[in-house]
Amino acid sequence: TAVTGSFTGTITVSNGSCASSSYSFSVGVLSHPTAAITSAPPICSGYSTSITFTGTSGTSIAYNIDGGSTINQVLTGGTYVLGTGVLTATHTYRLIDAHNAVCATSVDSTVTIVPTPMAWTGSTSSDWNDATNWSCGFVPGTSDDAAIPSGTTNSPVIAAAATGATRSLNIATGATVTLSASAVLTIAGNLTNNGAVTGSGKLSMNSTASQAVNGFGAVSNFDVNNTAGVMVNTGSRLTIKSVLSVTSGSLATGDSVVLYSDTFGSARVAVLPTGTSISGNVKVNQFFTGGRRAYRFWGHPFNNYIGLSQLENYVDVAGPGGSANGFTTTGSNQPSAYRYNPYVGNSSLAADPGWRPFASAYTTVDSNRLHQYQGIRVYYRGAKGEGLGFGPYVVISSTTASQWGVLNQGNQDVPLSRGASISQNYNMIANPYASPVEIGTVIFNAAAAGRINGAYFYIWNPFLNTAGAFQAIPYSTGGGSPSAIPYYLQANDAFQIRAMHDGDLLNFAETNKGATVSNAYSLMKARDEFVSLYVYDANYHPYDMLYVNFNESATDGEDAKYDGGKPSGNDFIFYSLSADKHRLMVDARPYKSGSIIPLGLSSSYAQDYIIRAENLAVPEGGKVYLHDKLLKQYTLLQQGTEYRFSVTKDDASQGENRFELSMAPADVKLARGLNVSMTPNPTTDEVTIGFTQAQSENVTLRVLDISGACIYNERLGNQQSGSVKIQLNNVATGIYMMELTSGGQKVVQRLIKE
């Protein structure tokens, strides 16, 4: 029993008829290196004390401590101080009666002190650093073992920028420790976690001796700062919710570390300093947003190939042979996963043969392996079992997929491929890290070294078109002193880039990792310096976009410094043609009065479409007309101008001979009809709606919210042209539909209030 005073006792040694001898011992006052002990029990870990043995004057005593070497001395009050941080201190003394060699004997005298971990009670508050919340009456330090039970009145919280420390820490199932912003909890011993460590602060495994992690709990931000290393023990699992970092030393995962992902974000591996490492497999999760069946770009962050079967465990991947080849069996077994091979590609074709379907989800054949750095395109139908047939789908669920392997670590040199022609230079590249990566600077540096063709790279937006479409993203500011434009691509994602030469490299560095993911350029925000033409269906769902930049430094041909090519692979594409007949998504060229820019359009669907001028940047006094050569009519493009047309079974309704942009004189025959503009859009406080038509008609203007409720309604009377300014200060942010009716014509446009 622990008391604030001393323990005492007497040892009597006797051997048959020999005289007995007595030796006394005492255990000194319990103490703690950082806190005063005001009461006991319990005996808490981290206590220290002294043990004193006193023998008869002149008595020689030999003893050893815990199996150590024998020491001979005359005890006149010798003292042994227990080391701090000892869980069980058992000290064995071997005593020899030196009065009479014949009577010499020995006895094992053991003083055992069994400390218990101090427990969180939370009886006062949630403040970790309040001593009254702990069973021992003081806050634990690196010499103390601590336990966090479940069911306490208050769960422990380390306040913002504050610190906490323990030696070993045991968090029970259902218990939670919260680390506020910039807070640090240091663990000097082992961690047993069956609960959760949450918040934006950091739990740091920090010692000079090896440490272990046990249990099945989660930690938001987990840091290894131990040159001797940290190991996740067999039979345990460590789930990282936000950031895994290794400040020094190494982490041995035991194949049992999971990077978590959900609708709020994905866990990442922070920049790994030189000399640090993560060994063993890591399971990397990726959350798929539901709501829409579409293709997604996909890749993995591992240093070797994996099988598509890993992904197929969580989402349905179809392919030839169905389940016999590791795929989900469907009615047609049509492939839903594709890789891209530049050597057989031809980006000048609407159906690029470079897209090659996976023939098996297994890895027995090299072409079916998902290689290091390889990006692929996968069709996402929803959670497992959803969307496998035809017909309407009410629910396309979100789900989380997992893949596992040994992580890419350190700088990564990613090879690029190019075939014999410029139509064989598109590459699908996966993010090489289990972290967002800033690819803008990576591509900018490669372009400066002459390795990249074109001024853009391409991401996949699954919310365009019927199943997604490419978006062109600039990586350089351009001009006389260009600089990189940062863009952070999420983990497990991929992008396309065009190689200048076969075998060139993209050089990724650990320092390119980031904490956040960039938002793609908003679909409804046009670029100020471009003529921005967006194509919508009749319900204003966006399908594709074309950007034309009138730039006197560019040429009518494809310019590697200014233009962006048009990748193939969509079921609807809209593009321009350079003078050398290359398809462009972003077309820079000088403005020339009377010149034309050929346009191309390819659609798999016979339906109505709208071409809308979201932005119009032309030289002062310049004009641009959309020429529908099939219908033999011109439309003067202004901000917000819409042109409606149909793609039919007639081949002439699409292709490269239907539309062109014309910088023709103003006396061309303009299309008759109702033209409506809406500026600015998006807007914050007001919007001006203008209209013009061939003759006067009765005009009505309405604005409806997304549910169809009318928030503005005005009859404008009989007019040929006019404008209306609507105040939106008291209107909630969101998407609205502007509907302008004139006689038998109606124009509906989407309005965004920010």
Side-chain angles (χ1 to χ4, degrees), residues 337-379:
Y338 297 83
R339 65 191 192 281
Y340 188 80
N341 184 348
Y343 298 121
V344 298
N346 187 344
S347 59
S348 66
L349 301 177
D352 189 339
W355 289 106
R356 316 293 288 183
F358 281 82
S360 173
Y362 302 130
T363 60
T364 52
V365 178
D366 185 72
S367 61
N368 292 324
R369 296 168 179 168
L370 183 50
H371 289 275
Q372 184 185 29
Y373 311 135
Q374 182 182 24
I376 64 172
R377 189 178 63 169
V378 178
Y379 192 63

Short mmCIF file of all heavy atoms in Angstrom, two decimals, residues 337-379:
data_model
loop_
_atom_site.label_atom_id
_atom_site.label_comp_id
_atom_site.label_asym_id
_atom_site.label_seq_id
_atom_site.Cartn_x
_atom_site.Cartn_y
_atom_site.Cartn_z
N ALA A 337 -13.00 -0.03 -68.78
CA ALA A 337 -11.72 0.50 -68.31
C ALA A 337 -10.75 0.51 -69.50
O ALA A 337 -10.63 -0.49 -70.23
CB ALA A 337 -11.15 -0.35 -67.18
N TYR A 338 -10.07 1.66 -69.67
CA TYR A 338 -9.19 1.84 -70.82
C TYR A 338 -7.86 2.46 -70.40
O TYR A 338 -7.82 3.34 -69.54
CB TYR A 338 -9.83 2.77 -71.86
CG TYR A 338 -11.12 2.25 -72.46
CD1 TYR A 338 -12.33 2.42 -71.79
CD2 TYR A 338 -11.13 1.62 -73.69
CE1 TYR A 338 -13.52 1.95 -72.34
CE2 TYR A 338 -12.31 1.15 -74.25
CZ TYR A 338 -13.50 1.32 -73.58
OH TYR A 338 -14.67 0.85 -74.13
N ARG A 339 -6.80 2.01 -71.03
CA ARG A 339 -5.52 2.66 -70.93
C ARG A 339 -5.28 3.41 -72.25
O ARG A 339 -6.04 3.23 -73.20
CB ARG A 339 -4.40 1.64 -70.69
CG ARG A 339 -4.18 0.68 -71.83
CD ARG A 339 -3.26 -0.47 -71.44
NE ARG A 339 -2.81 -1.25 -72.59
CZ ARG A 339 -3.52 -2.16 -73.22
NH1 ARG A 339 -4.77 -2.42 -72.81
NH2 ARG A 339 -3.04 -2.82 -74.25
N TYR A 340 -4.23 4.23 -72.32
CA TYR A 340 -3.94 4.95 -73.56
C TYR A 340 -2.52 4.63 -74.01
O TYR A 340 -1.57 4.73 -73.23
CB TYR A 340 -4.10 6.46 -73.39
CG TYR A 340 -4.01 7.20 -74.70
CD1 TYR A 340 -5.10 7.25 -75.56
CD2 TYR A 340 -2.82 7.79 -75.12
CE1 TYR A 340 -5.03 7.90 -76.78
CE2 TYR A 340 -2.73 8.43 -76.34
CZ TYR A 340 -3.84 8.48 -77.17
OH TYR A 340 -3.76 9.11 -78.39
N ASN A 341 -2.39 4.25 -75.28
CA ASN A 341 -1.10 3.91 -75.87
C ASN A 341 -0.77 4.91 -76.98
O ASN A 341 -1.36 4.84 -78.06
CB ASN A 341 -1.13 2.49 -76.42
CG ASN A 341 0.22 2.04 -76.95
OD1 ASN A 341 1.14 2.84 -77.12
ND2 ASN A 341 0.35 0.75 -77.23
N PRO A 342 0.15 5.85 -76.73
CA PRO A 342 0.45 6.86 -77.76
C PRO A 342 1.00 6.26 -79.05
O PRO A 342 0.80 6.83 -80.13
CB PRO A 342 1.50 7.75 -77.09
CG PRO A 342 1.39 7.47 -75.63
CD PRO A 342 0.92 6.07 -75.51
N TYR A 343 1.68 5.13 -78.97
CA TYR A 343 2.34 4.57 -80.15
C TYR A 343 1.34 4.08 -81.20
O TYR A 343 1.69 3.94 -82.37
CB TYR A 343 3.27 3.42 -79.75
CG TYR A 343 4.39 3.86 -78.84
CD1 TYR A 343 4.54 3.30 -77.57
CD2 TYR A 343 5.29 4.84 -79.22
CE1 TYR A 343 5.56 3.69 -76.72
CE2 TYR A 343 6.32 5.25 -78.38
CZ TYR A 343 6.45 4.67 -77.14
OH TYR A 343 7.46 5.08 -76.30
N VAL A 344 0.12 3.77 -80.79
CA VAL A 344 -0.91 3.35 -81.75
C VAL A 344 -2.04 4.37 -81.82
O VAL A 344 -3.04 4.14 -82.47
CB VAL A 344 -1.48 1.96 -81.38
CG1 VAL A 344 -0.38 0.91 -81.45
CG2 VAL A 344 -2.13 1.97 -80.01
N GLY A 345 -1.88 5.50 -81.13
CA GLY A 345 -2.91 6.51 -81.09
C GLY A 345 -2.96 7.36 -82.36
O GLY A 345 -2.03 7.40 -83.16
N ASN A 346 -4.08 8.06 -82.51
CA ASN A 346 -4.24 9.04 -83.59
C ASN A 346 -5.27 10.05 -83.12
O ASN A 346 -6.47 9.86 -83.29
CB ASN A 346 -4.67 8.37 -84.88
CG ASN A 346 -4.67 9.35 -86.06
OD1 ASN A 346 -4.65 10.57 -85.87
ND2 ASN A 346 -4.69 8.81 -87.27
N SER A 347 -4.80 11.13 -82.51
CA SER A 347 -5.70 12.11 -81.92
C SER A 347 -6.46 12.92 -82.95
O SER A 347 -7.35 13.70 -82.59
CB SER A 347 -4.91 13.05 -81.00
OG SER A 347 -3.90 13.73 -81.73
N SER A 348 -6.14 12.76 -84.25
CA SER A 348 -6.88 13.48 -85.28
C SER A 348 -8.20 12.80 -85.61
O SER A 348 -9.02 13.36 -86.33
CB SER A 348 -6.03 13.59 -86.56
OG SER A 348 -5.81 12.31 -87.13
N LEU A 349 -8.42 11.60 -85.06
CA LEU A 349 -9.66 10.87 -85.31
C LEU A 349 -10.62 11.04 -84.14
O LEU A 349 -10.21 11.16 -82.98
CB LEU A 349 -9.36 9.37 -85.50
CG LEU A 349 -8.41 9.01 -86.64
CD1 LEU A 349 -8.17 7.51 -86.65
CD2 LEU A 349 -8.96 9.48 -87.97
N ALA A 350 -11.91 11.03 -84.46
CA ALA A 350 -12.92 11.14 -83.40
C ALA A 350 -12.85 9.95 -82.46
O ALA A 350 -13.02 10.09 -81.24
CB ALA A 350 -14.31 11.26 -84.01
N ALA A 351 -12.61 8.76 -83.00
CA ALA A 351 -12.43 7.56 -82.19
C ALA A 351 -10.95 7.21 -82.21
O ALA A 351 -10.47 6.52 -83.11
CB ALA A 351 -13.27 6.42 -82.74
N ASP A 352 -10.22 7.70 -81.23
CA ASP A 352 -8.77 7.54 -81.18
C ASP A 352 -8.42 6.09 -80.88
O ASP A 352 -8.78 5.56 -79.82
CB ASP A 352 -8.20 8.47 -80.11
CG ASP A 352 -6.69 8.55 -80.13
OD1 ASP A 352 -6.04 7.64 -80.67
OD2 ASP A 352 -6.15 9.54 -79.60
N PRO A 353 -7.70 5.40 -81.77
CA PRO A 353 -7.35 3.99 -81.52
C PRO A 353 -6.34 3.81 -80.40
O PRO A 353 -6.05 2.67 -80.02
CB PRO A 353 -6.76 3.53 -82.87
CG PRO A 353 -6.25 4.78 -83.51
CD PRO A 353 -7.19 5.88 -83.08
N GLY A 354 -5.81 4.91 -79.87
CA GLY A 354 -4.89 4.80 -78.74
C GLY A 354 -5.56 4.34 -77.46
O GLY A 354 -4.89 3.82 -76.56
N TRP A 355 -6.88 4.52 -77.36
CA TRP A 355 -7.61 4.03 -76.19
C TRP A 355 -7.78 2.52 -76.32
O TRP A 355 -8.50 2.05 -77.20
CB TRP A 355 -8.96 4.72 -76.06
CG TRP A 355 -8.86 6.16 -75.67
CD1 TRP A 355 -9.06 7.25 -76.46
CD2 TRP A 355 -8.53 6.67 -74.38
NE1 TRP A 355 -8.87 8.40 -75.75
CE2 TRP A 355 -8.54 8.08 -74.46
CE3 TRP A 355 -8.21 6.07 -73.15
CZ2 TRP A 355 -8.25 8.89 -73.37
CZ3 TRP A 355 -7.93 6.88 -72.07
CH2 TRP A 355 -7.96 8.27 -72.18
N ARG A 356 -7.13 1.78 -75.43
CA ARG A 356 -7.13 0.32 -75.49
C ARG A 356 -7.83 -0.26 -74.27
O ARG A 356 -7.45 0.03 -73.13
CB ARG A 356 -5.69 -0.21 -75.54
CG ARG A 356 -4.77 0.54 -76.48
CD ARG A 356 -5.15 0.36 -77.93
NE ARG A 356 -4.84 -0.98 -78.41
CZ ARG A 356 -5.03 -1.36 -79.66
NH1 ARG A 356 -5.55 -0.53 -80.55
NH2 ARG A 356 -4.70 -2.59 -80.03
N PRO A 357 -8.86 -1.09 -74.48
CA PRO A 357 -9.56 -1.67 -73.32
C PRO A 357 -8.70 -2.72 -72.62
O PRO A 357 -7.89 -3.41 -73.24
CB PRO A 357 -10.80 -2.31 -73.95
CG PRO A 357 -10.39 -2.61 -75.36
CD PRO A 357 -9.44 -1.51 -75.76
N PHE A 358 -8.88 -2.83 -71.31
CA PHE A 358 -8.25 -3.91 -70.56
C PHE A 358 -8.95 -5.22 -70.92
O PHE A 358 -10.19 -5.29 -70.94
CB PHE A 358 -8.34 -3.67 -69.06
CG PHE A 358 -7.34 -2.68 -68.55
CD1 PHE A 358 -7.56 -1.31 -68.65
CD2 PHE A 358 -6.16 -3.10 -67.96
CE1 PHE A 358 -6.64 -0.39 -68.19
CE2 PHE A 358 -5.22 -2.19 -67.49
CZ PHE A 358 -5.46 -0.84 -67.60
N ALA A 359 -8.16 -6.25 -71.20
CA ALA A 359 -8.72 -7.55 -71.57
C ALA A 359 -8.93 -8.45 -70.36
O ALA A 359 -9.61 -9.46 -70.44
CB ALA A 359 -7.83 -8.24 -72.59
N SER A 360 -8.31 -8.09 -69.23
CA SER A 360 -8.44 -8.90 -68.02
C SER A 360 -8.13 -8.02 -66.81
O SER A 360 -7.36 -7.07 -66.91
CB SER A 360 -7.48 -10.09 -68.05
OG SER A 360 -7.48 -10.79 -66.81
N ALA A 361 -8.75 -8.36 -65.69
CA ALA A 361 -8.45 -7.66 -64.44
C ALA A 361 -7.27 -8.28 -63.72
O ALA A 361 -6.81 -7.73 -62.71
CB ALA A 361 -9.68 -7.66 -63.52
N TYR A 362 -6.78 -9.39 -64.23
CA TYR A 362 -5.64 -10.06 -63.64
C TYR A 362 -4.34 -9.57 -64.27
O TYR A 362 -4.34 -8.94 -65.34
CB TYR A 362 -5.77 -11.57 -63.80
CG TYR A 362 -7.03 -12.14 -63.20
CD1 TYR A 362 -7.86 -12.99 -63.94
CD2 TYR A 362 -7.43 -11.81 -61.90
CE1 TYR A 362 -9.03 -13.52 -63.40
CE2 TYR A 362 -8.59 -12.33 -61.36
CZ TYR A 362 -9.39 -13.17 -62.11
OH TYR A 362 -10.54 -13.68 -61.57
N THR A 363 -3.22 -9.87 -63.64
CA THR A 363 -1.94 -9.28 -64.06
C THR A 363 -1.03 -10.27 -64.77
O THR A 363 0.18 -10.05 -64.87
CB THR A 363 -1.21 -8.71 -62.83
OG1 THR A 363 -0.97 -9.78 -61.90
CG2 THR A 363 -2.01 -7.62 -62.17
N THR A 364 -1.58 -11.35 -65.30
CA THR A 364 -0.73 -12.35 -65.95
C THR A 364 -0.11 -11.82 -67.24
O THR A 364 0.95 -12.29 -67.66
CB THR A 364 -1.56 -13.61 -66.25
OG1 THR A 364 -2.75 -13.23 -66.96
CG2 THR A 364 -1.95 -14.31 -64.95
N VAL A 365 -0.77 -10.87 -67.89
CA VAL A 365 -0.25 -10.26 -69.12
C VAL A 365 0.11 -8.82 -68.82
O VAL A 365 -0.65 -8.09 -68.17
CB VAL A 365 -1.29 -10.34 -70.26
CG1 VAL A 365 -0.75 -9.65 -71.52
CG2 VAL A 365 -1.65 -11.79 -70.55
N ASP A 366 1.26 -8.38 -69.30
CA ASP A 366 1.77 -7.05 -68.97
C ASP A 366 0.79 -5.94 -69.37
O ASP A 366 0.62 -4.97 -68.64
CB ASP A 366 3.11 -6.82 -69.66
CG ASP A 366 3.75 -5.51 -69.26
OD1 ASP A 366 4.23 -5.41 -68.10
OD2 ASP A 366 3.76 -4.58 -70.08
N SER A 367 0.13 -6.08 -70.50
CA SER A 367 -0.78 -5.02 -70.97
C SER A 367 -2.00 -4.88 -70.09
O SER A 367 -2.72 -3.87 -70.17
CB SER A 367 -1.20 -5.30 -72.41
OG SER A 367 -1.88 -6.54 -72.51
N ASN A 368 -2.28 -5.86 -69.24
CA ASN A 368 -3.42 -5.77 -68.32
C ASN A 368 -3.02 -5.28 -66.93
O ASN A 368 -3.86 -5.21 -66.04
CB ASN A 368 -4.10 -7.14 -68.20
CG ASN A 368 -4.78 -7.55 -69.48
OD1 ASN A 368 -5.33 -6.71 -70.19
ND2 ASN A 368 -4.74 -8.84 -69.80
N ARG A 369 -1.76 -4.96 -66.76
CA ARG A 369 -1.31 -4.44 -65.47
C ARG A 369 -1.48 -2.93 -65.42
O ARG A 369 -1.27 -2.24 -66.41
CB ARG A 369 0.16 -4.81 -65.25
CG ARG A 369 0.41 -6.30 -65.15
CD ARG A 369 1.88 -6.63 -65.24
NE ARG A 369 2.11 -8.08 -65.12
CZ ARG A 369 3.25 -8.67 -65.38
NH1 ARG A 369 4.31 -7.95 -65.77
NH2 ARG A 369 3.36 -9.98 -65.26
N LEU A 370 -1.87 -2.45 -64.25
CA LEU A 370 -1.93 -1.01 -64.03
C LEU A 370 -0.56 -0.60 -63.50
O LEU A 370 -0.24 -0.78 -62.34
CB LEU A 370 -3.04 -0.68 -63.03
CG LEU A 370 -3.28 0.81 -62.74
CD1 LEU A 370 -3.42 1.62 -64.01
CD2 LEU A 370 -4.53 0.98 -61.89
N HIS A 371 0.27 -0.07 -64.40
CA HIS A 371 1.67 0.14 -64.11
C HIS A 371 1.91 1.38 -63.25
O HIS A 371 1.04 2.25 -63.11
CB HIS A 371 2.46 0.25 -65.41
CG HIS A 371 2.58 -1.04 -66.16
ND1 HIS A 371 3.56 -1.96 -65.90
CD2 HIS A 371 1.81 -1.59 -67.15
CE1 HIS A 371 3.41 -3.01 -66.70
NE2 HIS A 371 2.35 -2.81 -67.46
N GLN A 372 3.12 1.46 -62.72
CA GLN A 372 3.56 2.65 -62.01
C GLN A 372 3.44 3.85 -62.95
O GLN A 372 3.83 3.78 -64.11
CB GLN A 372 5.01 2.48 -61.55
CG GLN A 372 5.56 3.63 -60.72
CD GLN A 372 7.04 3.44 -60.40
OE1 GLN A 372 7.77 2.82 -61.17
NE2 GLN A 372 7.49 3.98 -59.28
N TYR A 373 2.86 4.93 -62.44
CA TYR A 373 2.67 6.20 -63.15
C TYR A 373 1.60 6.15 -64.25
O TYR A 373 1.36 7.16 -64.92
CB TYR A 373 3.98 6.70 -63.80
CG TYR A 373 5.19 6.70 -62.93
CD1 TYR A 373 6.41 6.22 -63.42
CD2 TYR A 373 5.16 7.19 -61.63
CE1 TYR A 373 7.55 6.23 -62.64
CE2 TYR A 373 6.30 7.20 -60.83
CZ TYR A 373 7.49 6.71 -61.34
OH TYR A 373 8.62 6.72 -60.56
N GLN A 374 0.94 5.02 -64.46
CA GLN A 374 0.01 4.90 -65.58
C GLN A 374 -1.38 5.38 -65.19
O GLN A 374 -1.97 4.91 -64.22
CB GLN A 374 -0.08 3.44 -66.04
CG GLN A 374 -1.00 3.22 -67.24
CD GLN A 374 -1.10 1.75 -67.62
OE1 GLN A 374 -0.87 0.86 -66.81
NE2 GLN A 374 -1.43 1.48 -68.87
N GLY A 375 -1.92 6.33 -65.96
CA GLY A 375 -3.29 6.77 -65.77
C GLY A 375 -4.22 5.97 -66.67
O GLY A 375 -3.85 5.58 -67.78
N ILE A 376 -5.43 5.73 -66.21
CA ILE A 376 -6.43 5.01 -67.00
C ILE A 376 -7.76 5.76 -66.90
O ILE A 376 -7.91 6.71 -66.14
CB ILE A 376 -6.60 3.55 -66.54
CG1 ILE A 376 -7.16 3.50 -65.10
CG2 ILE A 376 -5.29 2.79 -66.65
CD1 ILE A 376 -7.54 2.09 -64.65
N ARG A 377 -8.72 5.30 -67.70
CA ARG A 377 -10.07 5.86 -67.69
C ARG A 377 -11.04 4.74 -67.33
O ARG A 377 -11.03 3.68 -67.97
CB ARG A 377 -10.41 6.45 -69.06
CG ARG A 377 -11.69 7.25 -69.10
CD ARG A 377 -11.92 7.84 -70.47
NE ARG A 377 -12.08 6.79 -71.48
CZ ARG A 377 -12.51 7.03 -72.72
NH1 ARG A 377 -12.75 8.25 -73.11
NH2 ARG A 377 -12.66 6.03 -73.57
N VAL A 378 -11.84 4.95 -66.29
CA VAL A 378 -12.75 3.93 -65.77
C VAL A 378 -14.16 4.50 -65.71
O VAL A 378 -14.37 5.63 -65.26
CB VAL A 378 -12.32 3.46 -64.36
CG1 VAL A 378 -13.29 2.43 -63.82
CG2 VAL A 378 -10.92 2.87 -64.40
N TYR A 379 -15.14 3.72 -66.13
CA TYR A 379 -16.53 4.14 -66.09
C TYR A 379 -17.11 3.83 -64.71
O TYR A 379 -17.08 2.68 -64.25
CB TYR A 379 -17.34 3.42 -67.17
CG TYR A 379 -18.71 3.99 -67.40
CD1 TYR A 379 -18.87 5.29 -67.87
CD2 TYR A 379 -19.85 3.23 -67.17
CE1 TYR A 379 -20.13 5.81 -68.09
CE2 TYR A 379 -21.11 3.74 -67.39
CZ TYR A 379 -21.25 5.03 -67.85
OH TYR A 379 -22.50 5.56 -68.07
#
